[in-house]
Amino acid sequence: MKRTTLYDTHVRLTAKIVSFAGWDMPLYYTGIVHEVEAVRTAAGIFDVSHMGELFVSGTEALALVQGLTTNDSSCMEIGEAQYTLLCDDNGGVIDDLIVYRTDETEYMLVVNASNVDADYEWLQQHNQTSAVCDNRTEAMAIIAVQGPKSQEILQQTANTNIGDLRRMRSVIARIGDASCRVARSGYTGEDGFELFCRAEDSVRIWDRIMMAGESSGITPCGLGARDVLRLEVGYPLHGNEITRETTPVDAHLMWVVKPDKGDFIGREAILNAKASGPKHALVGLSTNERAIPRHGQTVIVAGRAIGSVTSGTFSPTLGRAIALAYVEPPYAEIGSKVDVDIRGRSCACEVVKTPFYRPGIPTQAIANK
Amino acid sequence: MIPEDLRYTSTHEWLRVDDDLATIGITDHAQEELGDIVYLELPEVGSTVTAGHVFGSVESVKTVSDLTAPVSGEVLEVNEELTDSPDLVNEESYGGGWMIIVKMEIPSEVEELLTPEQYEKFVEEQ
């Protein structure tokens, strides 16, 4: 099992450690409910160094990115970040990722921990350009600081005015004496930042931010809280909502597919899927029962299986269960009544709008493109 | 710390014996593994539970787990406080987080349960 450079820090903080995608990672420190609340009301700090960083560089770096991913990266400024997808020939989603333009001819692809090796292999196999791919996952660490107080906390540690940083933009800054890329982005729906640094600097940066945030209530958060936070705001998780069996059409991700930019792997299949309509649709489910639909459970209408739950949890912010599920298109309308088979018992659910929860992000943090 | 006056199961329930009455809950180790508990499904007063069989479930933010009865008998009391405060199971797993009181049918079933020493060893080995 691999360990991030912050592993000893997590142990010192008495985290409950679980293995995830080949890494020993903190599931929670004090408890998921407390950690979620901290991010929604103050700030949380996360070690997400298990995520992968694949660098693409060279004069044809953009051509490689454009040919393999679905979004249009051609107009990105240096420092800009963009959500995009890596798809196969069938339009199935190999991974979802954030691409950062880190230099004139360099892009950093931040990918899911479970998919680093598959993505890297895919990139190399399908590289028909002179661009070079480099997997720097183990040399780098990522620390996320998320929540309404994240700017005020991080500013105390940074040498540049991070308040000027717009959402999905990044700059190189110093946190204490360590240099890192500070991006205004995250996976929680809150205002927040993700810091990309050298692995050996991660402990110093973490400690510096913890010190600065102590009086504001900064709270170390594990993967448990991270999963709940993303689900509350309806963000998909690769492996659950998006897989190689689902297309961007199914997952309502056509906003990151730009067929007009030119050819890319999966373009034709995605256009065909769009023309024929989704086979199944991703929806939000809510229930008034004291039960929680979970990943893999069957969605039923009138005794017939019409879909399955992809993610489900108790939402501490809303005080009730929330879930995402794929259902047959006729049942995808808001207000549809469906049942979920929860361990042999039928639980009455309703199709609801997502996000389940919408954080109040300060307007200056939202990109005005 | 594993209380010395209780008996245990390999599915992490504890049992406190008082004559033919048995109070049942889950261990500190179990609540730690589950994380924040949000719902409990417990039997009704007057129903019966059977040793080794599922009598309810406990649901945390992350996961759900069955509750297995350590002994057989009639449910005399259910901890109603857990309906509004399921977190008592996290905070006081051996106290306020108790779940049901059973009138034992076969008190000798207690002898089959793990002693504190055996349970401690069992948890360490896992």
Side-chain angles (χ1 to χ4, degrees):
Chain A
M1 216 43 73
K2 287 182 278 190
R3 291 175 173 179
T4 76
T5 40
L6 284 159
Y7 178 81
D8 290 342
T9 302
H10 306 318
V11 171
R12 185 168 48 78
L13 291 164
T14 67
K16 177 164 175 54
I17 304 287
V18 290
S19 61
F20 177 78
W23 296 81
D24 276 334
M25 296 298 290
L27 179 64
Y28 64 84
Y29 302 82
T30 49
I32 294 174
V33 172
H34 171 69
E35 291 166 25
V36 167
E37 191 191 345
V39 172
R40 294 281 179 238
T41 60
I45 181 167
F46 302 73
D47 174 18
V48 284
S49 306
H50 60 311
M51 295 196 70
E53 293 92 349
L54 306 178
F55 281 77
V56 175
S57 54
T59 50
E60 289 188 289
L62 175 62
L64 177 58
V65 171
Q66 288 286 75
L68 294 188
T69 63
T70 60
N71 211 334
D72 185 357
S73 306
S74 63
C75 297
M76 291 175 73
E77 300 162 16
I78 292 174
E80 191 174 343
Q82 185 184 58
Y83 182 59
T84 186
L85 305 170
L86 195 64
C87 285
D88 62 23
D89 290 311
N90 302 318
V93 184
I94 298 167
D95 205 359
D96 66 337
L97 56 135
I98 306 274
V99 55
Y100 293 80
R101 187 175 183 191
T102 46
D103 208 338
E104 197 61 47
T105 58
E106 183 188 72
Y107 294 82
M108 172 174 73
L109 313 185
V110 178
V111 305
N112 282 295
S114 332
N115 299 329
V116 179
D117 295 338
D119 293 352
Y120 186 51
E121 207 182 306
W122 182 268
L123 248 59
Q124 288 182 307
Q125 276 176 359
H126 296 83
N127 183 5
Q128 294 174 344
T129 72
S130 60
V132 176
C133 305
D134 186 17
N135 180 357
R136 295 187 204 162
T137 303
E138 293 190 27
M140 293 180 71
I142 312 179
I143 295 170
V145 184
Q146 302 280 302
K149 292 190 178 169
S150 52
Q151 180 185 320
E152 138 193 350
I153 292 166
L154 201 57
Q155 189 60 72
Q156 298 170 49
T157 70
N159 70 332
T160 56
N161 184 359
I162 58 163
D164 291 342
L165 196 60
R166 286 181 291 156
R167 202 152 172 86
M168 297 303 272
R169 292 293 193 284
S170 70
V171 289
I172 300 291
R174 269 207 322 276
I175 303 294
D177 59 357
S179 172
C180 65
R181 176 170 296 277
V182 178
R184 194 164 206 153
S185 53
Y187 196 44
T188 64
E190 299 291 335
D191 185 20
F193 300 85
E194 291 173 298
L195 315 182
F196 299 86
C197 63
R198 296 188 308 171
E200 58 266 36
D201 293 335
S202 66
V203 173
R204 273 186 302 159
I205 292 175
W206 175 286
D207 289 346
R208 184 79 188 75
I209 297 169
M210 282 295 286
M211 217 164 31
E214 200 186 347
S215 59
S216 311
I218 196 167
T219 302
C221 298
L223 294 184
R226 182 171 157 85
D227 189 51
V228 170
L229 288 157
R230 69 95 190 165
L231 193 49
E232 286 184 338
V233 290
Y235 291 171
L237 171 65
H238 192 271
N240 289 35
E241 285 71 38
I242 42 182
T243 68
R244 286 184 81 151
E245 315 307 317
T246 61
T247 67
V249 181
D250 302 324
H252 307 302
L253 289 174
M254 287 306 285
W255 63 281
V256 292
V257 178
K258 303 287 159 61
D260 295 342
K261 72 170 177 174
D263 200 23
F264 56 89
I265 297 178
R267 180 179 182 273
E268 202 180 321
I270 295 169
L271 286 177
N272 288 340
K274 192 186 173 194
S276 55
K279 293 189 295 288
H280 49 196
L282 190 61
V283 297
L285 297 181
S286 167
T287 178
N288 291 323
E289 293 185 25
R290 291 168 61 84
I292 303 170
R294 305 272 186 187
H295 175 77
Q297 292 172 346
T298 306
V299 184
I300 294 167
V301 170
R304 193 173 68 85
I306 58 107
S308 70
V309 176
T310 51
S311 295
T313 187
F314 179 81
S315 159
T317 310
L318 301 170
R320 58 179 171 82
I322 54 172
L324 292 173
Y326 272 110
V327 298
E328 291 176 5
Y331 305 100
E333 265 177 61
I334 305 299
S336 273
K337 303 276 192 270
V338 300
D339 295 318
V340 174
D341 180 347
I342 299 183
R343 294 153 41 93
R345 192 186 307 164
S346 173
C347 170
C349 296
E350 186 178 325
V351 172
V352 297
K353 269 191 204 148
T354 57
F356 301 101
Y357 174 74
R358 204 180 283 275
I361 293 186
T363 46
Q364 76 266 20
I366 297 172
N368 40 352
K369 276 199 168 181
Chain B
M1 285 296 102
I2 292 170
E4 295 197 349
D5 56 336
L6 308 178
R7 298 299 283 265
Y8 300 88
T9 66
S10 58
T11 45
H12 307 286
E13 288 85 10
W14 58 259
L15 179 115
R16 176 178 288 119
V17 177
D18 185 7
D19 284 333
D20 61 345
L21 299 186
T23 306
I24 296 165
I26 63 167
T27 65
D28 184 58
H29 174 77
Q31 70 79 20
E32 178 88 25
E33 287 295 310
L34 285 163
D36 291 336
I37 290 162
V38 292
Y39 296 135
L40 284 124
E41 190 195 340
L42 296 175
E44 288 182 7
V45 171
S47 63
T48 57
V49 299
T50 309
H53 286 69
V54 173
F55 72 92
S57 64
V58 51
E59 193 129 27
S60 68
V61 175
K62 281 304 285 178
T63 188
V64 58
S65 178
D66 281 330
L67 297 165
T68 304
V71 292
S72 310
E74 183 189 341
V75 178
L76 291 189
E77 217 176 311
V78 174
N79 187 353
E80 301 293 348
E81 265 193 82
L82 299 183
T83 310
D84 290 329
S85 307
D87 53 328
L88 275 175
V89 179
N90 291 117
E91 284 153 20
E92 306 171 25
S93 51
Y94 296 113
W98 68 274
M99 292 173 184
I100 57 172
I101 298 175
V102 168
K103 186 177 164 59
M104 287 188 282
E105 227 167 79
I106 315 159
S108 63
E109 281 175 343
V110 174
E111 304 309 316
E112 308 289 318
L113 301 174
L114 301 176
T115 63
E117 297 75 33
Q118 287 170 328
Y119 179 67
E120 187 168 13
K121 198 156 168 268
F122 176 74
V123 169
E124 275 169 18
E125 282 168 2
Q126 277 202 318

